Amino acid sequence: MNKTRQVDLGTPASSAGETVQIEIDGLPATVKAGTSILRAARESGVDIPKLCATDSLKPFGSCRMCLVEIEGRKGYPASCTTPIEEGMKIRTQTDALSKLRRNVMELYISDHPLDCLTCSANGDCELQDMAGAVGLRDVRYGFDGENHLDAPVDTSNPYFQFDASKCIVCSRCVRACDEAQGTFALTIEGRGFNSKVSAGISEDFLDSECVSCGACVQACPTATLMEKSIVDHGQPDHAIITTCAYCGVGCSFQAEMKGDQVIRMTPYKDGEANHGHSCVKGRFAWGYASHRDRMLKPMIRENTSDPWREVEWEEAFQYTAERFKAIQKEHGRKSIGGITSSRCTNEEVFVVQKLVRAAMGNNNVDTCARVCHSPTGYGLNTTLGTSAGTQPFDSVMDADVIMVIGANPTVGHPVFASQMKRRLREGAQLIVVDPREIGLVRSPHIEAAYHLNLLPGTNVPIINALAHVIVSEGLADEDYVRDRCELDSWESWKAMILKPENSPEEVAKVSGVDAEKIRAAARLFGGAGNGAIYYGLGVTEHSQGSTMVMGMANLAMATGNIGRSGVGVNPLRGQNNVQGACDMGSFPHELAGYRHISGEEVRTQFEQHWGVTIDPEPGFRIPNMFDAACAGTFKGMYIQGEDVAQSDPDTHHVEAALSAMECIVVQDLFLNETAKFAHVFLPGTSFLEKDGTFINAERRINRVRPVMEAQQGKDEWRITQDLAQALGYPMNYNNAAEIMDEIAELTPTFNNVSFKFLDEVGSVQWPCNDSAPMGTPIMHVDAFVRGKGLFVETDYVPTEERTNRKFPLLLTTGRILSQYNVGAQTRRTDNNIWYGEDVLEVHPSDAEMRGIGDSQLVSLTSRKGNITLRAKITTRVKPGVVYTTFHNPETGANVVTTEYSDWATECPEYKVTAVQIAPASHRSEWQDEFAARAQEQGRIVTPADEA
Ligand code: SF4
Ligand code: SF4
Ligand code: SF4
Ligand code: FES
């Protein structure tokens, strides 16, 4: 059998608490009540043959391979669909059973190609295993009758193929698509001998509803659904457990290897965030790690107009250190800084902020959370006392009403979306607050009870109106509030929320959402046993982002929805390690664990450990660094794995800031857009080469394990360490585990964390310390972290960005399933087949008014700039609203976004830009400049060239 196959106990585990005693083949066994006989036997070490059952899916009972005998009962029940009962005596192996199983197997085999030796599943085929297990020696029916052996192979999907000739119609794939993924893309067409799996009426996989999550491929017991990488390279020989490098769900994967080559990534069943499920990115889009664009040599250049020159590491460090030191000598200690990466491990991030604080001697360090979830940190910390989500993902299975605000989980957090959809199919109610009709509003077997399709920028009035109805109609949980919250704050908040301007009728005028719909949604949420809020960047990336986060926390406290399973305020965090990057002290005002830099006790602890004096003044945030660069006082930056030139708003301003600096160091896998303005390029490592930890949206610390050597010859934390040493600060870690040990020592919420502990327990949710040795899945259980919950008044201050006659439409931005953020990874994979370019969604009435047709090139103009892209005419957006993504650098979506930002955290207001659109015939000026710069970027001089 394949060495990397994960254990399959046949049917899902029972959740019952009590156990029963049974006897299997004469031996006693104690098993959880409700367990199937098949699973009970497997748990006891007895492998009953099976084909249609697998432990990730409900039992189906179609293949009849798992028959057993039960003392006192007639016939041969299927063990997968029969639950155990107290005192049951089961026989799994008798002559009669053997004969029956062989008969079944003969039928399967008579319609199977039997090309085992050349089959891609050879060695990893359950049909092959079962033929062996039942002792099949002969097929009485012959192979000449009617069969399916000439069925065509569907190779349309870039990552897996469907070879119908090998299908045994066990329907595991169909059930995986329904139960695990919730897409319902597959059906069994036809009846009896003519039944076959279909991905839609006369459609191949590529054109079907399939979202390439891979669940069906994982579930298929034969070579029918098979990864193309296995077809090309054969079966893996070993596996290493690691964590996905894309989104904040933090799925665990088994990297299946042949030598040091990754052959396949399969979702890990024991992964506590994903329970064996995956999405197209983590499952298939890992090829970027070995893409030809990957840079493997350090490079330097005097001026950005010069070609890059490949150098050895030592020269790159000395060159950088000299330039940084010279800048500080001339312009002062605070004239340089750094950005940590949410794509990197906690250990890699920690050393970068340490380098800034200890080696550069200032607090000019920030991270990409600045442009995504910094309002989450501010808002949740202010109201509840901690800068993170309150729940584990599994909590959604206890929710009765789920409110999704400004998030699109099916594309942004697909594995969690599948879990949420499972709960919705079980009967939980859904409220969606989003300008666009996201996929969750209407999908197979799911329909939102209410979709509040508000105008971009009006989240705060909507949350206030929901609270207004709940308070005015007596739906608030006053007992909870009295017990758990600061009563003064409750009273003043209540007075604010009951003001007439927060009534649904008034809010309808600004938000464009019908007052009755707001009332009905509020009643639904207010009346819920368990009401859970999930939100994303559609909340935070506004000039009132922090206000809105506090508005949601207010609503959750007012309805008693914090502190148990099924409730909570839950940010769906974007990047794989954005939570960790924030936890590690990446903000200019906080040391690790969100402790303010001005706190003397905390600073002293770090100072003693690091042997330096730490500046008590907060440093620059990213936008401050850019402003200071434009003003000529900020001159150098060390940028770890973040492409600010593409991802940050108001591209013209960012480019001006980057151009004004004297030394920009980019550490990345690829020569990204920011590297066009850089003087030093330090090649980074992919997640497949990293040793460390990521922290997901549920505060779960997951191990990231290297499956191959660092391709450029140096771990990323070592790059930072060597640079620190070149700058004159001694940093001397021997391995990444030592960095985590230091984090744990200096950070109370991490006190019990170490690589050894994580390797033992799998993963843990912080806080993890002596008070919570096994971590803290649910926050604020008996009391809020800050003591009493604080209600904060959330008066609505509209953004200064307004529509007018010149810019009459509102642009909002988001993501697509197959691409990821700036696309650095996904654009270097076959995911491009689904989404090769950013498009602009336009409502038919807005398009018609302007003479714009579907797929036509349009210009998109704001006060800040102008780009062109193709239009997609759709009713997903309402009239007056247009929408695009920002995955392709050549589109330049951020050329048009503005300088406005959240009042508390300066998180940019990506979600609201006043724009005009018009038919276009050519690229914008910025896009022409972009193309010219892209050509320049490719000029690299190697030592061989110089010789
Ligand atoms: S494709 Fe695979 S999983 Fe689906 S019915 Fe056929 S054999 Fe079973
Ligand atoms: S890949 Fe996922 S979405 Fe596509 S058919 Fe298979 S299970 Fe369904
Ligand atoms: S849901 Fe997120 S973490 Fe999971 S596989 Fe997809 S991208 Fe990776
Ligand atoms: S495994 Fe039980 S009927 Fe198929």
Side-chain angles (χ1 to χ4, degrees), residues 56-83:
S56 57
L57 302 170
K58 288 183 208 143
F60 191 57
S62 70
C63 75
R64 314 299 293 166
M65 283 296 294
C66 67
L67 308 181
V68 290
E69 291 178 14
I70 303 173
E71 194 175 287
R73 289 204 195 170
K74 283 193 190 148
Y76 305 96
S79 63
C80 63
T81 49
T82 311

Side-chain angles (χ1 to χ4, degrees), residues 118-414:
T118 53
C119 177
S120 56
N122 191 16
D124 187 23
C125 172
E126 292 184 43
L127 188 68
Q128 198 178 42
D129 295 347
M130 289 308 116
V134 302
L136 188 72
R137 301 284 172 264
D138 190 20
V139 176
R140 284 167 294 158
Y141 310 108
F143 302 96
D144 301 330
E146 200 181 340
N147 57 45
H148 299 97
L149 305 187
D150 56 355
V153 181
D154 176 355
T155 56
S156 60
N157 186 289
Y159 297 116
F160 60 85
Q161 65 178 39
F162 175 64
D163 180 352
S165 72
K166 296 188 169 161
C167 181
I168 58 171
V169 201
C170 66
S171 97
R172 272 162 66 162
C173 54
V174 178
R175 289 178 286 136
C177 192
D178 298 356
E179 290 175 30
Q181 167 57 22
T183 293
F184 295 81
L186 301 177
T187 48
I188 303 277
E189 268 181 7
R191 301 176 75 87
F193 181 77
N194 290 322
S195 48
K196 63 173 179 116
V197 172
S198 165
I201 301 165
S202 310
E203 275 181 344
D204 55 26
F205 266 83
L206 192 63
D207 294 329
S208 73
E209 296 294 311
C210 168
V211 293
S212 290
C213 71
C216 56
V217 184
Q218 178 87 343
C220 184
T222 66
T224 315
L225 281 159
M226 180 57 83
E227 295 91 350
K228 287 181 176 173
S229 60
I230 298 288
V231 177
D232 291 344
H233 301 291
Q235 293 291 328
D237 53 39
H238 69 282
I240 297 166
I241 311 302
T242 190
T243 305
C244 178
Y246 280 108
C247 86
V249 177
C251 296
S252 295
F253 275 87
Q254 192 170 266
E256 300 190 13
M257 313 288 299
K258 214 175 196 170
D260 65 354
Q261 193 183 1
V262 181
I263 301 294
R264 156 168 81 183
M265 296 288 281
T266 46
Y268 184 49
K269 283 183 179 180
D270 290 338
E272 289 171 281
N274 57 322
H275 305 297
H277 192 39
S278 61
C279 84
V280 59
K281 294 186 284 276
R283 177 79 153 92
F284 295 118
W286 38 268
Y288 68 87
S290 51
H291 193 274
R292 62 179 180 281
D293 288 354
R294 176 108 184 250
M295 306 308 296
L296 298 173
K297 280 277 182 192
M299 299 189 295
I300 60 175
R301 58 184 174 183
E302 193 67 28
N303 300 300
T304 53
S305 54
D306 298 339
W308 284 107
R309 188 163 66 82
E310 282 185 1
V311 294
E312 294 304 319
W313 285 104
E314 201 41 46
E315 186 177 348
F317 295 136
Q318 289 311 324
Y319 181 81
T320 309
E322 275 163 27
R323 285 187 83 151
F324 276 163
K325 281 192 212 159
I327 290 171
Q328 284 190 303
K329 196 164 171 212
E330 190 179 342
H331 300 280
R333 183 169 50 88
K334 298 190 179 183
S335 58
I336 60 173
I339 298 181
T340 69
S341 173
S342 297
R343 328 281 310 142
C344 286
T345 63
N346 292 308
E347 296 70 22
E348 291 164 343
V349 165
F350 186 81
V351 291
V352 170
Q353 63 84 35
K354 181 172 175 178
L355 173 138
V356 172
R357 295 196 155 104
M360 294 183 179
N362 62 52
N363 290 308
N364 292 336
V365 62
D366 208 351
T367 188
C368 75
R370 175 68 50 215
V371 298
C372 66
H373 268 288
S374 49
T376 291
Y378 180 89
L380 295 186
N381 194 33
T382 306
T383 48
L384 314 179
T386 198
S387 300
T390 61
Q391 310 295 121
F393 291 133
D394 287 351
S395 156
V396 78
M397 298 311 285
D398 291 322
D400 300 310
V401 175
I402 299 168
M403 180 139 61
V404 176
I405 310 180
N408 191 354
T410 49
V411 309
H413 301 83

